[in-house]
């Protein structure tokens, strides 16, 4: 019994050691089985080093580029190794700098390949808390030369004390010396009244501009320069409107010039502004460095040599500078001014002969000095640009001069105008759609591959179901206004037809020839109450070889179509998706007007191809100001009618029906995909 009591604890201890060893081996095996995947996260706005430091505050594991990734701490973020040769803005005085191909605005994210959803938290922190875009601000400056009387007409108020403006939009304080110093001023509206500029006055700039233009027309004011620059919140913007004045440096040896070289000094207006925007964008705080310099007339420094010979001459510069802070309302002009220049002119009158007598001649001559007083002011207007509107004051007008056609070496291009884009706020601002987009973005952050999987790709990253139909219609309107279809010859349109005689699959058939034989009513102006249909069945996803060769060959059929409504109904019903049937795209031609629509659809297809279908068919990319690459049509070109052309044909007319169909189908599919998952809760 004693031996038995002794051996039992020993046995238990041995078992524990065996178990612990087994568990260690199991953990090691599990660690070895972890397959590490990685991806490069591109940062748009924040510096990678700063991003890494902020991620540490959120408890995200951070690795080192010189050490192996710790598998027990996945997901792990690792900064990209620093490049030694990269130079963001090279010094043009040096040789062109060496650069590396790797971008410098990326970080590496390592994660367990079996648990990609673990990376979603990291992506959300970066996107929602760290890598945030700065507000865009347009800084407009206007340099004026104006008389004192004209300033009163503008309603400029000078000399306000800073303590009186502590709660308002302006800090107004004289900064240097006497009457000709630079000061900050505000504009009163109406002129002569108490200051009226605050956040509640929205039309001040317009009224100020009207008064200013009136003074310019009268000749009381002159606009010397009107520069503008687009900058970001808390970023410095620099404007320099000046000229270089050469100054000679001379060296003398016993009154003789031994060498002469030149250096340049700057004279003009330098303006550096750092804006900061408040939360709602109604006020802008500005750090302002303004400098105005100009040569002083009649005060040049002249170097004389032997025999009163002029050897060199250098100008005397008048410099006025202000460094200050101001807080003003958005879209509100304020003034940096007070540079007063006096041009003097001395005229001498004397009695002939007597005035030339030394010393005594002063009694017989007189000097008269006349002065011209000019004041230079700088009007600064900051404008906070809305994030959802690409149109701002700095955007050029919609002019044909931005288009490019007929170039021998480069593709034709068309600049999208305001009239080319639809007002789609009823769709993009729909709360139900926005909620689904947010859920899709969250899913894509957790599972990157879902960005390419239906139905998630219809909502993620700003996508809108049915947006391809809307973009096609907008392109159609552009082509229609440009009468672009006239460049296509209807005689050069072809389609594929089955070749039963030879058995080679299909042969080329010119559309015009086929219509003359089988459907001549299409070539007439009004038609005869019938339509010819070309049906393309989409087989691109088929795995059968025979099916792959069917898509380019349309099924052709002539049907009754007495009027416009019948034609639209045929087009709608034939292109609608039906359960259990192969997707198809159908074209119906009744008369010449439909032929013109067909030619426009061919051009639409070529435009989409030139601009990349996965890019241009996004509403967020079809915006005012963007250049749209246009196809160049040659006389010898032959154009093919296929399923993509049929899609463009359908969307050019019934885009709204296509949009509604996509919305209904994709909304249902996405909600079904979320059903029973953890993401369904985000729809509540």
């Amino acid at each position: 019994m004693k031996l038995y009591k002794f051996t039992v604890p020993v046995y238990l201890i041995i078992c524990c050691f065996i178990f612990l060893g087994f568990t260690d081996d199991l953990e090691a095996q599990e660690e070895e089985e972890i397959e590490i995947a990685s991806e490069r996260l591109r940062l748009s706005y924040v510096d990678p080093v700063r991003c890494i430091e902020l991620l540490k505050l959120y408890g995200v594991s951070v690795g080192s580029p010189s050490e192996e990734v710790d598998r027990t701490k996945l997901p792990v973020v690792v900064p990209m190794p620093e490049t030694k040769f990269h130079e963001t803005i090279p010094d043009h005085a040096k040789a062109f700098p060496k650069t590396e191909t790797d971008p410098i605005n990326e970080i590496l994210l390592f994660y367990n390949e079996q648990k990609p959803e673990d990376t979603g938290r990291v992506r959300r922190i970066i996107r929602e808390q760290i890598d945030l875009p700065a507000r865009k601000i347009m800084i407009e400056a206007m340099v004026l030369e104006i008389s004192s009387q004209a300033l009163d007409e503008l309603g400029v108020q000078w000399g306000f004390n800073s303590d009186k403006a502590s709660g308002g939009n302006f800090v107004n304080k004289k900064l240097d010396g006497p009457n000709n110093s630079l000061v900050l001023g505000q504009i009163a509206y109406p002129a002569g009244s108490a200051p009226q500029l605050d956040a509640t006055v929205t039309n001040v700039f317009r009224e100020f501009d009207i008064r200013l233009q009136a003074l310019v027309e009268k000749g009381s004011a002159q606009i010397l320069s009107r520069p503008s620059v687009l900058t970001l919140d808390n970023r410095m913007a620099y404007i320099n409107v000046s000229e270089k004045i050469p100054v000679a440096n001379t060296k003398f040896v016993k009154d003789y010039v031994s060498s002469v070289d030149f250096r340049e000094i700057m004279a003009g207006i330098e303006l550096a502004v750092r804006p900061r925007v408040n939360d709602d964008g109604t006020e802008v705080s500005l750090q302002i460095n303004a400098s105005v310099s100009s040569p002083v007339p009649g005060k040049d420094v002249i170097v004389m040599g032997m025999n009163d010979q002029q050897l060199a001459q250098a100008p005397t510069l008048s410099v006025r500078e202000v460094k200050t802070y101001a807080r003003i309302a958005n879209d509100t002009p304020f003034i940096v001014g007070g540079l007063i220049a006096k041009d003097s002119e001395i005229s001498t009158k004397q009695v002939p002969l007597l005035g030339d007598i030394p010393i005594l001649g002063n009694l017989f001559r007189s000097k008269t000095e006349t002065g011209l007083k000019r004041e230079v002011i700088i009007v600064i207007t900051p404008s906070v640009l809305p994030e959802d509107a690409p149109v701002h004051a700095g955007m050029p007008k919609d002019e044909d001069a931005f288009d490019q056609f007929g170039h021998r070496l480069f593709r034709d291009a068309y600049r999208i105008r305001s009239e080319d884009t639809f007002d789609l706020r009823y769709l993009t601002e729909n709360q139900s759609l926005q909620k689904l987009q947010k859920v899709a973005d969250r899913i894509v952050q957790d599972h990157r591959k879902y960005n390419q999987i239906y139905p998630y790709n219809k909502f993620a990253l700003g996508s809108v179901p049915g947006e391809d139909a809307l973009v096609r219609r907008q392109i159609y309107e552009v082509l229609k206004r440009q009468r672009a279809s006239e460049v296509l010859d209807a005689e050069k349109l072809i389609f594929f037809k089955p070749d039963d005689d030879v058995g080679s699959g299909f042969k080329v058939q010119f559309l015009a020839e086929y219509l003359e034989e089988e459907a001549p009513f299409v070539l007439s102006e009004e038609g005869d109450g019938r339509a010819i249909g070309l049906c393309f069945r989409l087989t691109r996803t088929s795995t059968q070889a025979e099916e792959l060769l069917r898509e380019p060959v349309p099924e052709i059929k002539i049907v009754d179509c007495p009027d416009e409504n019948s034609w639209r109904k045929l087009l709608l019903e034939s292109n609608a998706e039906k359960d259990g049937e192969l997707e198809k795209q159908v074209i119906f031609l009744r008369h010449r007007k439909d032929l013109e629509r067909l030619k426009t659809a061919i051009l639409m297809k070529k435009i989409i191809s030139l601009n990349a279908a996965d890019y241009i068919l996004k509403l967020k990319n079809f915006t005012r100001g963007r250049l749209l690459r246009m196809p160049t049509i040659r006389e010898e070109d032959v154009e093919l009618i296929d399923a993509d052309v049929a899609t463009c044909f359908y969307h050019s007319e019934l885009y709204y029906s296509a949009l509604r169909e996509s919305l209904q189908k994709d909304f249902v599919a996405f909600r079904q995909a979320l059903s029973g998952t953890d993401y369904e809760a985000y729809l509540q």
Side-chain angles (χ1 to χ4, degrees), residues 29-38 71 74-75 110-119 446-447 449-450:
Q29 184 179 0
E30 289 180 351
E31 183 176 344
E32 292 178 358
E33 291 178 352
I34 295 178
E35 296 184 6
I36 297 182
S38 66
R71 297 172 180 263
L74 297 177
F110 294 88
Y111 59 94
N112 187 347
E113 194 174 29
Q114 306 300 322
K115 299 179 179 179
E117 64 276 5
D118 294 344
T119 63
D446 296 343
H447 308 271
K449 64 180 181 180
Y450 280 33

Side-chain angles (χ1 to χ4, degrees), residues 168-170 197-202 278 281-286 326-334 380-384:
N169 297 323
F170 297 86
L197 283 188
D198 54 40
T200 63
V201 181
T202 59
N278 66 343
T282 58
E283 286 190 345
V284 182
S285 298
L286 297 174
R327 188 179 77 248
I328 64 174
N330 182 35
D331 284 325
T332 302
F334 76 105
I380 301 175
T381 307
S383 301
V384 181

Side-chain angles (χ1 to χ4, degrees), residues 535-542 547-548 550-552 577 581-586 642-644 646-647:
C535 177
F536 298 88
R537 299 189 181 274
L538 303 182
T539 61
R540 299 175 186 180
T541 59
S542 177
E547 293 290 333
L548 296 176
R550 288 179 55 188
E551 181 176 310
E577 293 187 26
E581 291 187 7
L582 198 64
E583 185 181 354
K584 59 183 182 298
Q585 298 293 337
V586 188
D642 58 6
D644 293 326
T647 303

Side-chain angles (χ1 to χ4, degrees), residues 57-289:
L57 300 178
Y58 288 92
V60 178
S61 300
V62 177
S64 172
S66 60
E67 299 177 358
E68 185 178 356
V69 175
D70 189 348
R71 297 172 180 263
T72 63
K73 297 181 179 181
L74 297 177
V76 177
V77 176
V78 179
M80 294 284 290
E82 296 183 357
T83 173
K84 299 179 180 179
F85 305 114
H86 189 86
E87 201 171 334
T88 306
I89 302 177
D91 187 349
H92 295 286
K94 302 178 182 178
F96 194 80
K98 297 179 180 179
T99 57
E100 293 190 356
T101 57
D102 289 340
I104 61 174
N105 60 333
E106 292 183 341
I107 58 176
L108 285 172
L109 175 61
F110 294 88
Y111 59 94
N112 187 347
E113 194 174 29
Q114 306 300 322
K115 299 179 179 179
E117 64 276 5
D118 294 344
T119 63
R121 174 175 175 266
V122 179
R123 295 193 188 94
R124 282 190 293 275
I125 292 174
I126 294 176
R127 180 179 178 181
E128 299 175 4
Q129 302 296 330
I130 298 177
D131 195 26
L132 301 177
R135 298 291 300 270
K136 295 177 291 185
I137 306 171
M138 177 65 68
I139 303 293
E140 296 182 277
M142 185 188 304
V143 184
L144 297 171
E145 189 177 70
I146 192 169
S147 64
S148 300
Q149 183 180 357
L151 282 175
D152 296 335
E153 295 184 32
L154 276 179
V156 176
Q157 305 284 329
W158 299 109
F160 287 86
N161 295 326
S162 59
D163 57 347
K164 295 181 180 181
S166 59
N169 297 323
F170 297 86
V171 178
N172 306 282
K173 186 178 180 181
K174 293 187 176 182
L175 299 172
D176 59 345
N179 297 328
N180 63 343
S181 58
L182 283 173
V183 297
L184 295 181
Q186 63 181 357
I187 304 165
Y189 179 74
S193 68
Q196 300 277 327
L197 283 188
D198 54 40
T200 63
V201 181
T202 59
N203 64 339
V204 173
F205 181 76
R206 180 176 179 273
E207 299 295 337
F208 170 78
D209 201 44
I210 292 175
R211 294 202 299 262
L212 177 61
Q213 294 300 326
L215 293 175
V216 172
E217 292 177 1
K218 292 192 305 180
S220 301
Q222 181 182 2
I223 300 176
L224 303 180
S225 180
R226 199 164 188 170
S228 61
V229 62
L230 180 64
T231 187
L232 300 177
D233 184 24
N234 204 30
R235 274 74 161 180
M236 181 69 73
Y238 178 74
I239 298 175
N240 185 355
V241 184
S242 57
E243 60 180 347
K244 296 181 179 180
I245 301 176
V247 178
N249 293 325
T250 58
K251 295 181 180 180
F252 301 90
V253 178
K254 296 182 179 180
D255 294 333
Y256 291 96
V257 177
S258 62
S259 63
V260 178
D261 59 2
F262 290 87
R263 62 182 180 91
E264 294 179 337
I265 59 175
M266 304 295 294
I269 296 116
E270 291 185 78
L271 181 64
V273 180
R274 183 189 297 271
R276 297 185 66 180
V277 186
N278 66 343
D279 290 339
D280 57 5
T282 58
E283 286 190 345
V284 182
S285 298
L286 297 174
Q287 179 184 355
I288 305 166
N289 293 355

Side-chain angles (χ1 to χ4, degrees), residues 35 43 51 89 194 198 215 231 309 315 354 398 404 432 466 486 489 507 511 528 575:
E35 296 184 6
L43 304 175
C51 180
I89 302 177
D198 54 40
L215 293 175
T231 187
Q309 183 181 2
L354 296 178
D398 295 333
Q404 178 178 288
S432 180
E486 296 179 358
D489 186 1
K507 63 180 180 179
L511 178 64
D528 65 353
N575 286 277

